[in-house]
Amino acid sequence: MSTPITHTIVNLPDQATARIPKRNYINNEHGLLSWLLTGDHKRIAILYLISITFFFFIGGAFAGLIRLELLTPAPDLVSSDTYNKFFTMHGIIMIFLFLVPSVPATLGNFLIPIMIGAKDLAFPKINLLSWYLYVIGGILTLAALVLGGVDTGWTFTTPLSTHYLNTHVITAATAIFIAGFASIFTGLNFIVTIHRMRAPGMTWFRMPLFVWSNYAASILMVLGTPVLAITLVLVALERLIGIGVFDPTKGGDPLLFQHLFWFYSHPAVYIMILPGMGVISEVISTFSRKRVFGYTAVAFSSVAIALFGFFVWAHHMFIMGVSNYSALVFSLLTMLVAVPSAIKIFNWAFTLQKGSITFETPMLYAFAFIGLFTIGGLTGIFLGSLGMDIHLTETYFIVAHFHYVMVGGMLMAFLAGIHFWWPKMTGRMYPESLSKLSAVTSFIGFNLTFMPQFILGYLGMPRRYHAYPAEYQVLNVLSTAGATVLGVGFMLPLLYLGWSLKYGAIAGNNPWQATGLEWQIQSPPLTENFTEIPIIDYEAYDYEWLEKKQREEVTTVG
Amino acid sequence: MAHEVSHDQAHDPSNVTNPEHAEHHIVTPIQYCLVFATLLVGTAITVAAAYVNMGAFNPVIALAIACTKAVIVILFFMHVKYQSRLIKLTVGAGFFAFIILVTMTLLDYISRAWGMW
Amino acid sequence: MANSITSTGHVDHLEKLMPHESIINDEGEHVVLPQHRHHFETAEQQREAGSFGMWLFLLTEIMFFGGLFFAYLLYRNWYYPAFAVASNQLNVPEGAANTAILITSGFFMALGVWAAEVRKKKLLVLMLVFTTIFGVAFLGVKADEYHEKYEKHHIPGASFSTSMFTNPPVNPKTGKPDELPLAPDMAQHTEIFFFLYFAMTGMHAFHMIIGIVLLFWLTWRAHRGEFSSGYVAPIENFGLYWHFVDIVWLFLFPLLYLINRHPIH
Amino acid sequence: MGISPVLWQFLVKWLHNSSLFPAEASTISPYTDALYFFLLLMTIVGLILVCALVFGFSIRYRREKSPVATQIEGSTLLEATWTIIPLAIFLVTFVWGALLYFRIYDPPANAMNIYVVGKQWMWKAEHPGGQHEINALHVPSGRPVQLTMISQDVFHSFSIPDFRVKREVIPGRYTTVWFEATTPGTYHIFCTQYCGTQHSGMIGEVTVLTPEDYDKWTKQSTSGMSLAQNGERLFASMGCNACHSGSAAARGPNLAGVYGSKLTLTNGNQVLVNDAYLRDAILNPSEHVTAGFAPIMPTYQGQISEDGLIDIVEYIKNLQSNYRVQQTQMTSESNQAAPPTPTEGTTETVKP
């Protein structure tokens, strides 16, 4: 039955008769303990989703407070100490408790086993341990906040963090140390699952690009995070014993801290963005009904980003007195690591060519991602070129750059993924028009917030300033106005997605008529995902195969 | 209907669940004794070498002996020699990442004295 | 014929449908291991995944110690005289003995893994006990060395004293001090050596303690016969961890103890 | 550049007055701005290209107009184009940026040196002539000015946006940056590296004066002793002249004219004596023992403040003969009164 030519791809089952499948992973077992001690990767993904949303809104609240303070040039809302604690908490919570785990731990945990035809991740108990470590890390961060806050900035610059502050640095460092292991165990689980548990016939180049990008991010998690762990241990030891490797008065070298810290923290930004790119590949392909243009190029550029990500960290330290010659090497390698991102952007753009494109909410978020990530990426080139970095580093230009990549790129991709797979995770559809409104609101609010900060950056307004010269006020007022709109834009999904849990339309197996393996089974899926192990004999994003299957109306697997 | 599950599913080369299908090689105790002996001899040599003044070569020798002992332990005690190519690749990746950390950071420390900074 | 493996009562299905998947024991009839986790196709796949996962975890340990080793590398080059003199304060016989103890412990662990593979329960338990004994012996020697540092005031922090380095004591036998006196500013940097010494050997000892606790648990389970009927993954993976801790010490010993041992005059 | 200088000046002036663009107040500013506008152009063109592709394809191939998608595998030619072209543009940016970096961080030889000491939440500028300024800096226009900077406690970062220069100020090591101011006026100084509670209070003013005004300013703001003279007093009071007396039998090497020379150390390697070397030699003497001398110099770590170190380094830099050293040693040994320090033109007397 060919659907009439409409402007949307969504085909829901007849709502009068459609029901949520009797047996699925949600109602398979009951009681709190069945959730808190679950081994099922889907339930752990839901647990992660709830805790990540909780911490996202705390971090967002601090962002709001910061923007409120910067409404006026004078330091009049809160004292300097409190303001420093605001931006430190905003940084720590957003990076370590939201951005690093967001797509891998929620969507990755839920979908990777299903997408490659496995029943579960390789180590379910370690997956649950990863969530508990994340929650303990989160609680410790909140403890540091409640006990009096930490004001070292999320970068813990020594010797400030080791000798010149008496706030709760050790509590915060322990929190990040523990949350880091949560990220290591997620990465470890993904790598073993992708290598060892693919269904028969699921070769490497038949896997969806979402799996490829999470694989690349997992390599970074496993190899990068431990260096941050040892660095924080050394900072804690230096605070406790007083002698250490970073104290210049006793012969230590504070630049050694910068090297060890940024060795992790730059790959960390690729851990944050790569899974988001995976979501975008899936969404763009589904809503243009076409295979991703240059599948192998996009897959290999994910791995290339992961590999080159380890070679470029010192571009955070160009003005810190690293030698001129090493600055040259790191600047050149930074230029190389930018190329795979450009490749991906053009491949997504050309995926649309000759497609049959529709504009549901995930697609809107994907378009927002492409636009904003292009700006974010290219402004990164400003900071990668040495001469420009001298003027632009440690100013609001940097703040605008990484918010364009993290909020404009990663958060848009996260919301695209949440909207795209919401029917699969909950069996319910979200209200289309309201979600499009929230997407547009977020887009407008975001640009209004961070575009003025580029201009402020070139004007030289420094980062982390509690008070600023009067001539910067106009741009800061614009930015704060944008922040309020952005806040509303991010609040809306919480409302209508919650609403859809009870009143949303029944989604059925494949509301978007997508080709992924996860769309061939019931939604919400069974605990063991497949009633029998699927045999894959078709390519990734194979819409002809989907067409043939739908014509035969055979539910092979579900 | 679904594909007939072919009996020799495990031996089909594209069977990705266990591509190398390495049957499990058991290392005999004699090999372990040999490795044990070489490790002890290695320790003795490295201690002896420390008492001989070879100027800049002392650390080089010490590290060379330590690396050979480590490689022996990895290959035989940890059975990497008999395991799939994937595990060998993983071990390589680990040490490669460590080497990146050392060389790229030394790149900065060594070249500081070259020019005005 | 769809081989539907529902989640309930899957063991008998598996037996019938995929005979070659289970382990063929001595008498050649097929038995499926009770520890076979439902989401793995075959026990072989589960074991491969287990050791691969363990190796990835050891990767994180390599990078974890890697940070410390780099700090050591940097400060050894910056303050070589201080590192050389401070390293001479360490007791080489005790260090060498410790290395031998740890290698022996690794040897017994390897034999333990072999015993588990050939399913000799008593031998496995014996090997695990020996491994534990040598592990604890290593920690004992370590504790003695730490105590000696405590007496000589070489523990970094408030109680650290550099008098030992600025005017070295006269060696009664030779009538001359063993070391050249260090200038006071260089003597101050010996505190960085001892900080790195305690950080690296302390982190290594901490990993040893975790290993020994696991060893007690594994020995108890081995004693109950869990690992002598084909299911050896825990023993094998713990063996990997134990050998890794041994390798870290193989690097720590020469780097910390043997910086510059040849006599000065 | 394609735009005529007049149009450029007008554009920059208008943007500056509407506080959307910083003033171009140093010789390097136009070069930085040129690179900035090139990169801005690259970003805008890149964005337009991507948006054109995305919106073009979306409208052309929307579902109503093309209900069935035709699958395309990909094309290696296209992949090559959007690998090579971005790489080429990025490499151009790399080379241009590197040239600019080396221009800013390699001071010219004839630069006038000013010491800057960063301390938790204030900037102390110290001119060789003895002028001390807090959170302020007076510089002549038209002359290259080099800042030799160090921090007394944590990481700070000395930034003058209108000069497009910024350099991290690290504890334990001198870092340098230079600029040549062009248009007189007052411009912001910021500390851009987070340094604790009053990080946003650690700001100041650079006042660019015409050379004549600058000379007038140096005259009436002299606070008596030049850095070198302070250094001389410290040199004597710390007892440095006991060993570094410059006589043949002295236990310490002769420091007259040592600045800028090449020294061979006991461990054999050659070293250029610059500010950093002098400072390190005072704090960690055992690593900087000149060949032929015993390592008996005590460390002064923690006994001399950064300002004191700057004074001594400045004194050694200006020490051409040991005349003053021997004289101060003689007066310190005998009980005569020290000769009055000449008042006018203080810097000349130090040089013989």
PDB file of all heavy atoms in Angstrom, chain A residues 376-393:
ATOM      1  N   GLY A 376      31.365  26.371  14.324  1.00  0.00           N
ATOM      2  CA  GLY A 376      32.235  25.970  15.445  1.00  0.00           C
ATOM      3  C   GLY A 376      33.558  25.442  14.934  1.00  0.00           C
ATOM      4  O   GLY A 376      34.631  25.824  15.417  1.00  0.00           O
ATOM      5  N   GLY A 377      33.493  24.570  13.904  1.00  0.00           N
ATOM      6  CA  GLY A 377      34.718  23.955  13.399  1.00  0.00           C
ATOM      7  C   GLY A 377      35.654  24.984  12.795  1.00  0.00           C
ATOM      8  O   GLY A 377      36.852  25.032  13.085  1.00  0.00           O
ATOM      9  N   LEU A 378      35.074  25.867  11.975  1.00  0.00           N
ATOM     10  CA  LEU A 378      35.938  26.836  11.287  1.00  0.00           C
ATOM     11  C   LEU A 378      36.532  27.834  12.280  1.00  0.00           C
ATOM     12  O   LEU A 378      37.679  28.252  12.137  1.00  0.00           O
ATOM     13  CB  LEU A 378      35.148  27.538  10.173  1.00  0.00           C
ATOM     14  CG  LEU A 378      34.869  26.621   8.957  1.00  0.00           C
ATOM     15  CD1 LEU A 378      33.933  27.301   7.965  1.00  0.00           C
ATOM     16  CD2 LEU A 378      36.175  26.243   8.275  1.00  0.00           C
ATOM     17  N   THR A 379      35.764  28.208  13.331  1.00  0.00           N
ATOM     18  CA  THR A 379      36.384  29.123  14.313  1.00  0.00           C
ATOM     19  C   THR A 379      37.501  28.395  15.070  1.00  0.00           C
ATOM     20  O   THR A 379      38.411  29.025  15.610  1.00  0.00           O
ATOM     21  CB  THR A 379      35.328  29.626  15.318  1.00  0.00           C
ATOM     22  OG1 THR A 379      34.561  28.494  15.747  1.00  0.00           O
ATOM     23  CG2 THR A 379      34.421  30.659  14.709  1.00  0.00           C
ATOM     24  N   GLY A 380      37.434  27.067  15.058  1.00  0.00           N
ATOM     25  CA  GLY A 380      38.547  26.330  15.664  1.00  0.00           C
ATOM     26  C   GLY A 380      39.829  26.563  14.882  1.00  0.00           C
ATOM     27  O   GLY A 380      40.920  26.627  15.438  1.00  0.00           O
ATOM     28  N   ILE A 381      39.679  26.764  13.566  1.00  0.00           N
ATOM     29  CA  ILE A 381      40.880  27.016  12.747  1.00  0.00           C
ATOM     30  C   ILE A 381      41.503  28.362  13.148  1.00  0.00           C
ATOM     31  O   ILE A 381      42.724  28.495  13.222  1.00  0.00           O
ATOM     32  CB  ILE A 381      40.488  27.039  11.253  1.00  0.00           C
ATOM     33  CG1 ILE A 381      39.921  25.694  10.838  1.00  0.00           C
ATOM     34  CG2 ILE A 381      41.677  27.407  10.381  1.00  0.00           C
ATOM     35  CD1 ILE A 381      40.875  24.550  10.989  1.00  0.00           C
ATOM     36  N   PHE A 382      40.641  29.345  13.488  1.00  0.00           N
ATOM     37  CA  PHE A 382      41.183  30.628  13.995  1.00  0.00           C
ATOM     38  C   PHE A 382      42.164  30.336  15.135  1.00  0.00           C
ATOM     39  O   PHE A 382      43.262  30.869  15.193  1.00  0.00           O
ATOM     40  CB  PHE A 382      40.044  31.487  14.581  1.00  0.00           C
ATOM     41  CG  PHE A 382      39.171  32.178  13.562  1.00  0.00           C
ATOM     42  CD1 PHE A 382      38.421  31.446  12.654  1.00  0.00           C
ATOM     43  CD2 PHE A 382      39.058  33.554  13.541  1.00  0.00           C
ATOM     44  CE1 PHE A 382      37.601  32.063  11.737  1.00  0.00           C
ATOM     45  CE2 PHE A 382      38.241  34.188  12.609  1.00  0.00           C
ATOM     46  CZ  PHE A 382      37.512  33.447  11.710  1.00  0.00           C
ATOM     47  N   LEU A 383      41.707  29.429  16.053  1.00  0.00           N
ATOM     48  CA  LEU A 383      42.486  29.229  17.292  1.00  0.00           C
ATOM     49  C   LEU A 383      43.650  28.286  17.038  1.00  0.00           C
ATOM     50  O   LEU A 383      44.587  28.246  17.820  1.00  0.00           O
ATOM     51  CB  LEU A 383      41.563  28.669  18.385  1.00  0.00           C
ATOM     52  CG  LEU A 383      40.356  29.581  18.648  1.00  0.00           C
ATOM     53  CD1 LEU A 383      39.295  28.869  19.443  1.00  0.00           C
ATOM     54  CD2 LEU A 383      40.803  30.839  19.350  1.00  0.00           C
ATOM     55  N   GLY A 384      43.565  27.543  15.930  1.00  0.00           N
ATOM     56  CA  GLY A 384      44.670  26.624  15.635  1.00  0.00           C
ATOM     57  C   GLY A 384      45.841  27.354  15.018  1.00  0.00           C
ATOM     58  O   GLY A 384      46.987  26.936  15.155  1.00  0.00           O
ATOM     59  N   SER A 385      45.529  28.499  14.329  1.00  0.00           N
ATOM     60  CA  SER A 385      46.671  29.193  13.700  1.00  0.00           C
ATOM     61  C   SER A 385      47.345  30.070  14.761  1.00  0.00           C
ATOM     62  O   SER A 385      46.684  30.825  15.489  1.00  0.00           O
ATOM     63  CB  SER A 385      46.164  30.066  12.552  1.00  0.00           C
ATOM     64  OG  SER A 385      45.705  31.293  13.037  1.00  0.00           O
ATOM     65  N   LEU A 386      48.643  29.926  14.867  1.00  0.00           N
ATOM     66  CA  LEU A 386      49.409  30.446  16.016  1.00  0.00           C
ATOM     67  C   LEU A 386      49.185  31.937  16.251  1.00  0.00           C
ATOM     68  O   LEU A 386      48.810  32.358  17.334  1.00  0.00           O
ATOM     69  CB  LEU A 386      50.902  30.175  15.781  1.00  0.00           C
ATOM     70  CG  LEU A 386      51.307  28.701  15.897  1.00  0.00           C
ATOM     71  CD1 LEU A 386      52.643  28.460  15.208  1.00  0.00           C
ATOM     72  CD2 LEU A 386      51.392  28.324  17.360  1.00  0.00           C
ATOM     73  N   GLY A 387      49.386  32.746  15.212  1.00  0.00           N
ATOM     74  CA  GLY A 387      49.332  34.198  15.406  1.00  0.00           C
ATOM     75  C   GLY A 387      47.963  34.619  15.906  1.00  0.00           C
ATOM     76  O   GLY A 387      47.836  35.438  16.823  1.00  0.00           O
ATOM     77  N   MET A 388      46.935  34.033  15.333  1.00  0.00           N
ATOM     78  CA  MET A 388      45.560  34.411  15.730  1.00  0.00           C
ATOM     79  C   MET A 388      45.310  33.993  17.173  1.00  0.00           C
ATOM     80  O   MET A 388      44.621  34.697  17.920  1.00  0.00           O
ATOM     81  CB  MET A 388      44.573  33.676  14.790  1.00  0.00           C
ATOM     82  CG  MET A 388      43.243  34.363  14.643  1.00  0.00           C
ATOM     83  SD  MET A 388      43.368  35.853  13.683  1.00  0.00           S
ATOM     84  CE  MET A 388      43.161  37.111  14.885  1.00  0.00           C
ATOM     85  N   ASP A 389      45.893  32.836  17.539  1.00  0.00           N
ATOM     86  CA  ASP A 389      45.632  32.333  18.888  1.00  0.00           C
ATOM     87  C   ASP A 389      46.144  33.296  19.953  1.00  0.00           C
ATOM     88  O   ASP A 389      45.558  33.417  21.030  1.00  0.00           O
ATOM     89  CB  ASP A 389      46.317  30.967  19.066  1.00  0.00           C
ATOM     90  CG  ASP A 389      45.850  30.274  20.351  1.00  0.00           C
ATOM     91  OD1 ASP A 389      44.653  30.003  20.458  1.00  0.00           O
ATOM     92  OD2 ASP A 389      46.687  30.082  21.257  1.00  0.00           O
ATOM     93  N   ILE A 390      47.227  34.008  19.629  1.00  0.00           N
ATOM     94  CA  ILE A 390      47.793  34.924  20.637  1.00  0.00           C
ATOM     95  C   ILE A 390      46.733  35.927  21.069  1.00  0.00           C
ATOM     96  O   ILE A 390      46.508  36.154  22.262  1.00  0.00           O
ATOM     97  CB  ILE A 390      49.023  35.666  20.057  1.00  0.00           C
ATOM     98  CG1 ILE A 390      50.175  34.681  19.881  1.00  0.00           C
ATOM     99  CG2 ILE A 390      49.432  36.829  20.946  1.00  0.00           C
ATOM    100  CD1 ILE A 390      51.406  35.280  19.270  1.00  0.00           C
ATOM    101  N   HIS A 391      46.025  36.485  20.067  1.00  0.00           N
ATOM    102  CA  HIS A 391      45.032  37.507  20.436  1.00  0.00           C
ATOM    103  C   HIS A 391      43.751  36.881  20.967  1.00  0.00           C
ATOM    104  O   HIS A 391      43.090  37.426  21.847  1.00  0.00           O
ATOM    105  CB  HIS A 391      44.710  38.379  19.215  1.00  0.00           C
ATOM    106  CG  HIS A 391      43.661  39.419  19.496  1.00  0.00           C
ATOM    107  ND1 HIS A 391      43.795  40.344  20.494  1.00  0.00           N
ATOM    108  CD2 HIS A 391      42.434  39.621  18.951  1.00  0.00           C
ATOM    109  CE1 HIS A 391      42.725  41.120  20.536  1.00  0.00           C
ATOM    110  NE2 HIS A 391      41.877  40.692  19.604  1.00  0.00           N
ATOM    111  N   LEU A 392      43.390  35.687  20.455  1.00  0.00           N
ATOM    112  CA  LEU A 392      42.041  35.179  20.735  1.00  0.00           C
ATOM    113  C   LEU A 392      41.986  34.239  21.929  1.00  0.00           C
ATOM    114  O   LEU A 392      40.919  34.006  22.488  1.00  0.00           O
ATOM    115  CB  LEU A 392      41.513  34.444  19.488  1.00  0.00           C
ATOM    116  CG  LEU A 392      41.238  35.346  18.277  1.00  0.00           C
ATOM    117  CD1 LEU A 392      40.723  34.508  17.123  1.00  0.00           C
ATOM    118  CD2 LEU A 392      40.252  36.439  18.636  1.00  0.00           C
ATOM    119  N   THR A 393      43.125  33.668  22.335  1.00  0.00           N
ATOM    120  CA  THR A 393      43.001  32.654  23.387  1.00  0.00           C
ATOM    121  C   THR A 393      42.607  33.314  24.712  1.00  0.00           C
ATOM    122  O   THR A 393      42.884  34.508  24.927  1.00  0.00           O
ATOM    123  CB  THR A 393      44.319  31.877  23.541  1.00  0.00           C
ATOM    124  OG1 THR A 393      44.058  30.756  24.381  1.00  0.00           O
ATOM    125  CG2 THR A 393      45.403  32.733  24.172  1.00  0.00           C
TER     126      THR A 393
END
